[in-house]
């Protein structure tokens, strides 16, 4: 069975057996993410087939990774509909593993 985790500063912040893998990124269901580590970010980006991404900062034990997580609160195509509200993490900021 597939399994994925995301860790920051030594703490697992997301873990799931059900995820989406798109464009080299693991997208975690919102229920699998410890959202208590998030702080608001004003950063947004746009994907022509997924829509506008919203970002979150991650803070664990006083260490912050700015704009390290993103998600799509609304998707704009049927192809992207399975990613709605799922979280992905920058692999340069968060350790993401998948099996």
């Amino acid at each position: 069975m597939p399994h994925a985790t995301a860790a920051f500063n030594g703490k697992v912040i997301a873990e799931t057996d059900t995820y989406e893998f798109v464009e080299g990124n693991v997208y975690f269901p919102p229920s699998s993410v410890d959202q208590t580590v998030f702080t608001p970010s004003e950063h947004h980006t746009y994907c022509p087939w997924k829509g506008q991404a919203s970002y979150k900062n991650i803070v664990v034990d006083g260490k912050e990774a700015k704009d390290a997580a993103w998600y799509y609160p609304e998707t704009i195509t049927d192809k992207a509909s399975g990613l709605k509200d799922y979280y992905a993490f920058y692999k340069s900021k968060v350790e993401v593993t998948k099996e």
Side-chain angles (χ1 to χ4, degrees):
M1 175 176 280
H3 188 77
T5 61
F8 176 69
N9 199 27
K11 177 181 178 166
V12 173
I13 59 173
E15 186 168 18
T16 187
D17 292 328
T18 57
Y19 58 85
E20 298 292 330
F21 189 67
V22 178
E23 298 177 333
N25 294 301
V26 175
Y27 283 82
F28 292 82
S31 62
S32 71
V33 178
D34 177 1
Q35 297 187 30
T36 66
V37 301
F38 290 155
T39 61
S41 169
E42 296 299 318
H43 188 64
H44 297 281
T45 57
Y46 183 80
C47 171
W49 70 274
K50 290 178 267 184
Q52 181 171 284
S54 295
Y55 285 73
K56 299 283 187 177
N57 305 315
I58 299 170
V59 179
V60 173
D61 295 331
K63 184 174 181 184
E64 181 182 44
K66 189 163 177 54
D67 304 325
W70 75 90
Y71 68 103
Y72 295 90
E74 298 295 331
T75 54
I76 60 172
T77 65
D78 289 342
K79 182 179 176 183
S81 64
L83 299 178
K84 183 180 182 314
D85 293 328
Y86 275 46
Y87 285 90
F89 301 94
Y90 277 108
K91 292 178 286 227
S92 61
K93 299 178 181 185
V94 175
E95 181 183 345
V96 178
T97 58
K98 74 175 184 69
E99 299 170 0

